[in-house]
Amino acid sequence: MTAKNPELEVFNPFDESRVGSVKINSANEIEEMLELGFQLYRENPKGLSAHHRIQVLHKASSIMREKFDELSMLIAAEGGKPLIDARIEVERAIDGVFSCASEISNIVGSEIPMGLTPAAEGKIAFTTREPIGLVLAISAFNHPLNLIVHQVAPAVATGCPVIVKPADDTPLSCKKFISILAEAGLPKGWAQMACCDVS
């Protein structure tokens, strides 16, 4: 029987009430996340289809809109941010996810001029933009949802698997956003959250 992973407890910095907890991942679990991310990229070097990524991000922004108050309260509770500021952060995060979906249509290459030398006569060349591979992101505490969105949503939009480590003080908004992406139809492993003990 293996010991249960320890939990990272999250407390409201205003009144020190417990807000929630997240599991601290073991070194082996982190390795498994990395391997899954690399495997997904190896098996899908061009990423998920563009229409699937657009659909997931649009759905995620809709879910965030439906959970607007819940997300605002979570940000305020775990980060100690005034509710009015938390609501602005949620609005910005929703806009960020929607913008990433919109930008997918702008992921284009360009034609390279040919025929400038006899060897290039009758040839055509062009560039394409493709996912670069697994993205590893580390986020800060001061905008617990918006900063996560600004790291994870562009990775999803470009077709890269992503693992994000949120700040220890504010991991719950990250956990919620990753679950929203899953609810929106992002397949398992394309966006993962890692909490690890770095002490």
Side-chain angles (χ1 to χ4, degrees):
M1 179 182 222
T2 58
K4 183 182 174 195
N5 284 32
E7 297 275 320
L8 176 63
E9 302 286 340
V10 181
F11 297 94
N12 185 318
F14 176 72
D15 61 9
E16 298 185 355
S17 61
R18 184 182 179 280
V19 181
S21 66
V22 294
K23 182 177 84 166
I24 296 176
N25 300 108
S26 68
N28 285 343
E29 288 171 328
I30 300 291
E31 286 293 332
E32 288 170 5
M33 287 181 193
L34 289 166
E35 181 51 41
L36 176 57
F38 282 120
Q39 179 185 342
L40 287 171
Y41 176 68
R42 284 191 301 267
E43 293 174 357
N44 307 273
K46 294 194 182 288
L48 300 170
S49 66
H51 65 85
H52 188 182
R53 288 178 271 144
I54 291 169
Q55 180 183 11
V56 165
L57 291 169
H58 278 163
K59 179 68 175 169
S61 66
S62 296
I63 294 169
M64 292 170 76
R65 179 70 58 199
E66 293 165 8
K67 298 179 187 254
F68 191 96
D69 290 337
E70 178 186 346
L71 291 168
S72 299
M73 292 300 292
L74 182 58
I75 291 168
E78 74 172 339
K81 184 176 281 196
L83 185 56
I84 191 169
D85 293 336
R87 293 177 67 81
I88 291 169
E89 180 172 343
V90 174
E91 194 66 58
R92 288 183 62 210
I94 293 169
D95 288 345
V97 173
F98 190 83
S99 293
C100 285
S102 301
E103 281 299 311
I104 292 172
S105 64
N106 294 325
I107 302 174
V108 296
S110 59
E111 185 178 347
I112 299 169
M114 298 298 286
L116 306 177
T117 65
E121 188 71 36
K123 304 265 192 314
I124 186 169
F126 56 91
T127 63
T128 61
R129 294 185 178 268
E130 298 178 353
I132 196 168
L134 177 62
V135 172
L136 302 176
I138 299 174
S139 195
F141 72 94
N142 52 328
H143 297 285
L145 179 62
N146 201 39
L147 291 178
I148 296 294
V149 162
H150 277 71
Q151 294 175 310
V152 174
V156 172
T158 56
C160 295
V162 57
I163 299 172
V164 59
K165 184 208 175 294
D168 288 351
D169 291 335
T170 56
L172 299 175
S173 294
C174 178
K175 180 180 178 182
K176 190 68 178 175
F177 182 60
I178 297 298
S179 72
I180 286 172
L181 288 172
E183 184 181 345
L186 188 67
K188 182 180 178 188
W190 283 90
Q192 303 177 77
M193 182 180 91
C195 288
C196 52
D197 185 1
V198 294
S199 57

